[in-house]
């Protein structure tokens, strides 16, 4: 930890911004092109759209990052030497937007009063609607960029209306005018998820999914516009018209959300339903052109290997991603038409250069979950392999192969999953390889052996009283209600930190776990002072998005505290920790490049060391089940393979720093924000295993994260934090997870869990192996002690949970 007493930009900040700027283009997806871009040099440029000056660096909520500064599109273009000619348009839009924001907050306050609810709970995650705005498009220049933006956040799902999933009439009008009026025009999408742009799609020739790239968004865009870098991202979630979005299962609006679509999520659904999306999963163009040929197809030791030669046949440097899909045969179980099996990205190829990539896919990874026998089943039949949409070979498995029987965990759905009628065709004349099922033996899905980390033995805990053990399993707290803890601002050792372990942990010599929120970087206070009690933040603006929606009495208390700190600062040294905002989760996954993600993780780990955090509450890898989930921007994909691989890369990057740990979240089936404290996700065993747990399994087995966070929702009628089958049997038993498990913030708090199912039970958290309750309270400690007295839990179970917390505290100290 370093002590920075200067407000000047530090050398590490400059280095980190340079790193992020260099990798950001790999996260951008070129959706349409006609050859007008890139530009050869800066010029006069007409710039329009909500995201031009009010560019969004990332969504709202705990995933936000309090940065020193981030570069907007307007600023990035000006930094690059462009002359922006539309200041009058943007000035007018900014004024209209400010008025809309005022109206929005007044409306939230009124709605909360009518409902008798907290302004914080009513307003969390909701964002102002786009204002109606009409102003002449009179900017000079032959080049025009329109930046369409969308924001969303924790606590609320996207409404799906105009100004959200649909474009507004104002946006449609202005985009089409720009396309007609200017010689060269690019539509830029500064969004965290899909938007139905079908009303303008056929009349716009150049479309770039800029996404939300954190601190360097505007500078990175200017680099791409000028061809200093080439966009090389691919979509990790399907973009469909509003009317085509999957609607078989429930989404939001009820206490029980039934995942009736089963395994047919994302592209698996669109393939099965015969729907042609606006832009399919895995799609992405480049300034240049590539040619990909399969130059080898083999199976050895149960692993299919495809050799792919990629050649740059265009006029610009660029990178290409090779995607390997498989199509499994129907048998006992209905299979999707295709599933992602492996992927690799080339280095930067100059025009005329080529690279040969080897893609390995263990056959056992193509197994499906047999709910009848609680095992993975690789069925007899023909397995078709394709590079993208091009078939390259077939493997015939001459019999079934299964894993050892595993646990029947996660509960039961009260419905039968959707079973589409799918017809697949196996082209003939391809390489054809026969594989004996006997040669595969028992399969072990995503199996990876690793040495266990050192644990605290149970004998070491005999000196602790029951009250001390219970206190260890609850986040640092005071007996008084503290709203700051609920909003993720309760660490005394790190101003603006999300939480830390109880004082007794450090008093007993084990060190302290200090947490910072994520996953787009570290969410901490930017300015602070040191006191006898630790660090105290003093920058109200750092938490303005949260303060705006707090109840007036709580907001006034926090503002008063910040004002008191400002007074203290007059006789104290003001210190600084400015963190970097990395690209949002979806953007990082769009790079299809684990090296890019691991580099970002390494950067975050370095800032954790600098600022004094040792546990990062990220990465988040829940599945994009619906494009309307308000928190999808934090998550990676609709596909579990790329979700797990991306989370594993982030974990490796952070945890290469010896005293730093990640917290993979939210375990599991946290796929909506509506009624998030009390929503019950009803999911079949097969969908649970193949879609919603698979990414976590990959990350745990490939990268050994040191912490995991359970989710707010219930799973098949039981809070995930109380599901011992999920935590002890699957996570710790089958996957050999060795870290700590914590709740999400407020899960055990009755003040927030107002739905029909109520809050999760602190004692049952301990019984389930959910070690740490966040944000803690005296009621949590009392609940654990009550559970001990009435026999709900044993001292041994409590010692196991406390022991894991102490072990990690010691490891990170």
């Amino acid at each position: 930890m370093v002590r920075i007493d200067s407000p000047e930009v530090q050398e590490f900040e400059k280095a980190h911004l340079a790193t992020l700027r260099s990798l950001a283009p790999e996260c951008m997806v070129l959706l349409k092109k006609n050859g007008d871009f890139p530009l050869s040099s800066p010029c006069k440029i007409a710039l329009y759209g909500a995201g031009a000056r009010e560019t969004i660096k990332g969504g709202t909520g705990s995933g936000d990052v309090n940065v020193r500064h981030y570069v907007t599109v307007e600023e990035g273009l000006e930094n690059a030497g462009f002359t922006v000619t539309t200041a009058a348009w943007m000035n007018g839009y900014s004024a209209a937007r400010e008025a809309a924001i005022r109206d929005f907050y007044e409306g939230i306050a009124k709605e909360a009063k009518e409902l008798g609810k907290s302004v914080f709970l009513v307003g969390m995650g909701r964002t102002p609607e786009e204002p109606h705005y009409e102003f002449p498009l009179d900017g000079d220049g032959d080049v025009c960029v329109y930046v369409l933006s969308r924001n969303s956040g924790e606590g609320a799902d996207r409404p799906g209306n105009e100004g959200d999933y649909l474009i507004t009439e104002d946006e449609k009008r202005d985009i089409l005018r720009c396309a007609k009026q200017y010689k060269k025009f690019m539509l830029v999408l500064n969004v965290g998820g899909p938007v139905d742009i079908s009303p303008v799609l056929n009349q716009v020739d150049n479309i770039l999914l800029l996404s939300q790239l954190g601190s360097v968004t505007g500078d990175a865009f200017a680099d791409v516009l000028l061809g200093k870098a080439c966009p090389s991202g691919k979509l990790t979630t399907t973009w469909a018209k509003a009317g085509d979005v999957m609607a078989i299962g429930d989404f939001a609006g009820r206490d029980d959300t039934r995942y009736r679509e089963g395994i047919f999520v994302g592209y698996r659904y669109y393939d099965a339903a015969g729907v042609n999306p606006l832009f399919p999963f895995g799609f992405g163009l480049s300034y240049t052109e590539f040619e990909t040929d399969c130059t080898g197809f083999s199976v050895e030791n149960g692993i299919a290997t495809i050799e792919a030669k990629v050649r740059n046949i265009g006029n610009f440097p660029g990178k290409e991603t090779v995607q390997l899909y498989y199509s499994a045969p129907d048998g006992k179980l209905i299979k999707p038409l295709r599933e992602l099996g492996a992927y690799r990205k080339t280095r930067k190829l100059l025009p005329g250069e080529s690279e040969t990539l080897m893609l390995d896919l263990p056959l056992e990874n193509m197994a499906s979950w047999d709910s009848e026998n609680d095992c993975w089943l690789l069925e007899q039949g023909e397995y078709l392999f394709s590079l993208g949409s091009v078939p390259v070979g077939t493997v015939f498995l001459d019999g079934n192969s299964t894993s050892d029987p595993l646990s029947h965990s996660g509960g039961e759905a009260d419905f039968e999953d959707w079973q589409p009628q799918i017809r697949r065709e196996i082209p003939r004349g391809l390489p054809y390889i026969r594989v004996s099922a006997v040669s595969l033996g028992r399969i072990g899905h995503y199996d990876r052996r690793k040495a266990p980390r050192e644990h605290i033995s149970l004998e070491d805990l005999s000196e602790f009283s029951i009250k001390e053990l219970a206190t260890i399993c609850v986040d640092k707290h005071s007996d008084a209600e503290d709203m700051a803890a609920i909003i993720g601002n309760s660490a005394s050792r790190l101003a603006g930190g999300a939480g830390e372990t109880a004082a007794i942990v450090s008093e007993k010599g084990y060190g302290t776990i200090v947490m910072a929120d994520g996953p787009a970087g570290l969410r901490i206070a930017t300015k602070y002072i040191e006191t006898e009690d630790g660090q105290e933040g003093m920058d109200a603006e750092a938490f303005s998005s949260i303060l705006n929606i707090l109840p007036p009495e709580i907001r006034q208390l926090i503002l008063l505290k910040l004002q008191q700190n400002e007074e203290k600062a007059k006789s104290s040294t003001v210190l600084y920790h400015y963190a970097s905002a990395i690209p949002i989760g979806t953007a990082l996954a769009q790079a299809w490049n684990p090296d890019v993600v691991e580099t970002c993780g390494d950067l975050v780990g370095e800032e954790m060391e600098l600022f004094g955090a040792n546990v990062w509450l990220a990465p988040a890898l829940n599945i994009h089940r619906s494009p309307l989930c308000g928190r999808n921007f934090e998550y990676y994909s609709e596909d579990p393979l790329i979700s797990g691989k991306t989370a594993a890369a982030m974990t490796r990057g952070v945890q290469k720093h010896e005293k730093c740990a990640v917290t993979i979240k939210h375990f599991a089936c946290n796929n909506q924000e509506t009624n998030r404290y009390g929503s019950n996700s009803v999911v079949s065993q097969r969908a649970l295993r193949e879609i919603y747990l698979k990414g976590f399994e990959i990350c745990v087995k490939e990268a050994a994260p040191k912490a995991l966070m359970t989710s707010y929702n219930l799973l098949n009628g039981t809070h995930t934090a109380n599901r011992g089958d999920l935590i002890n049997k699957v996570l710790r038993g089958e996957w050999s997870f060795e870290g700590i498990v914590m709740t999400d913030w407020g899960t055990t708090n009755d003040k927030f869990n107002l739905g029909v199912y109520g809050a999760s039970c602190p004692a049952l958290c301990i019984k389930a192996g959910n070690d740490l309750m966040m944000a803690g309270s005296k009621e949590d400690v009392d609940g654990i002690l009550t559970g001990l007295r009435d026999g709900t839990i044993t001292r041994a179970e409590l010692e196991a949970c406390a022991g894991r917390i102490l072990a990690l505290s010691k490891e990170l100290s």
Side-chain angles (χ1 to χ4, degrees), residues 248-259:
I248 295 172
D250 304 333
F251 179 74
R254 61 194 73 211
D255 294 313
D256 299 307
T257 303
R258 290 177 170 82
Y259 292 41

Side-chain angles (χ1 to χ4, degrees), residues 617-667:
L617 302 180
L621 62 149
N622 293 109
I623 293 296
H624 293 178
R625 176 175 175 256
S626 166
L628 297 184
C629 175
R631 213 166 174 180
N632 272 357
F633 69 94
E634 294 188 37
Y635 308 147
Y636 296 127
S637 176
E638 67 191 24
D639 182 80
L641 178 69
I642 198 167
S643 297
K645 294 284 187 181
T646 307
M650 183 65 76
T651 298
R652 288 192 297 271
V654 172
Q655 293 188 173
K656 69 173 56 174
H657 298 264
E658 184 180 358
K659 303 300 182 182
C660 296
V662 303
T663 309
I664 60 174
K665 63 183 187 183
H666 309 87
F667 192 67

Side-chain angles (χ1 to χ4, degrees), residues 163-429:
D164 179 59
Y165 200 83
L166 304 174
I167 63 173
T168 67
E169 288 299 316
D170 285 356
E171 289 169 335
K172 176 182 175 181
R173 177 198 67 220
D174 288 347
I175 290 169
L176 294 180
R177 285 179 181 175
C178 288
K180 183 177 181 180
Q181 183 171 329
Y182 294 92
K183 184 177 179 181
K184 294 182 178 182
F185 172 61
M186 176 181 282
L187 172 60
V188 174
L189 306 175
N190 173 217
V191 299
V195 177
D196 183 353
I197 58 171
S198 58
V200 300
L201 181 59
N202 293 332
Q203 298 175 68
V204 175
D205 294 328
N206 297 282
I207 304 175
L208 176 72
L209 172 55
L210 173 65
S211 196
Q212 296 165 349
L213 303 177
S215 297
V216 300
T217 301
D219 283 337
F221 170 67
D223 290 342
V224 165
L225 197 65
L226 289 170
K228 294 180 179 180
C230 184
S232 61
K234 307 284 186 183
L235 293 179
T236 59
T237 199
T238 304
W239 282 46
K241 292 181 180 179
D244 290 338
V245 171
M246 188 275 293
I248 295 172
D250 304 333
F251 179 74
R254 61 194 73 211
D255 294 313
D256 299 307
T257 303
R258 290 177 170 82
Y259 292 41
R260 292 186 178 89
E261 70 281 358
I263 64 168
F264 292 93
V265 177
Y267 66 88
R268 292 167 173 81
Y269 164 77
Y270 294 105
D271 288 348
V275 173
N276 292 319
L278 295 175
F279 301 105
F281 174 87
F283 178 79
L285 304 173
S286 173
Y287 283 150
T288 192
E289 302 290 337
F290 296 97
E291 180 181 78
T292 302
D293 295 313
C294 178
T295 52
F297 180 72
S298 62
V299 177
E300 187 174 348
N301 298 323
I303 299 175
T305 299
I306 287 78
E307 181 181 278
K309 183 177 182 180
V310 182
R311 183 168 177 263
N312 183 345
I313 59 174
N315 299 318
F316 299 94
K319 296 183 178 183
E320 174 68 326
T321 298
V322 179
Q323 304 167 42
L324 174 63
Y325 293 88
Y326 65 89
S327 175
D330 290 332
K332 178 179 181 179
L333 304 172
I334 300 294
K335 312 296 197 312
L337 280 176
R338 62 181 176 127
E339 297 184 75
L340 182 66
Y343 57 92
R344 289 280 305 277
K345 194 168 192 176
T346 67
R347 67 177 190 276
K348 183 168 73 173
L349 299 177
L350 300 177
E353 281 192 322
S354 63
E355 181 179 3
T356 298
L357 302 176
M358 309 298 287
L359 290 88
D360 293 333
L361 175 55
L363 299 183
E364 67 178 9
N365 287 2
M366 300 188 296
S368 300
W369 182 256
D370 180 359
S371 301
E372 181 181 6
N373 297 299
D374 294 322
C375 67
W376 292 101
L377 171 62
L378 189 65
E379 295 202 69
Q380 175 182 345
E382 294 178 321
Y383 291 78
L384 177 65
F385 293 79
S386 301
L387 290 178
S389 60
V390 180
V392 297
T394 303
V395 170
F396 174 75
L397 185 66
D398 68 3
N400 291 345
S401 185
T402 67
S403 69
D404 289 328
L406 300 171
S407 64
H408 191 85
S409 299
E412 296 286 350
D414 58 2
F415 54 85
E416 294 293 326
D417 284 350
W418 180 58
Q419 297 289 313
Q421 298 297 315
I422 306 175
R423 297 187 63 182
R424 69 168 193 159
E425 297 181 0
I426 302 293
R428 301 305 168 185

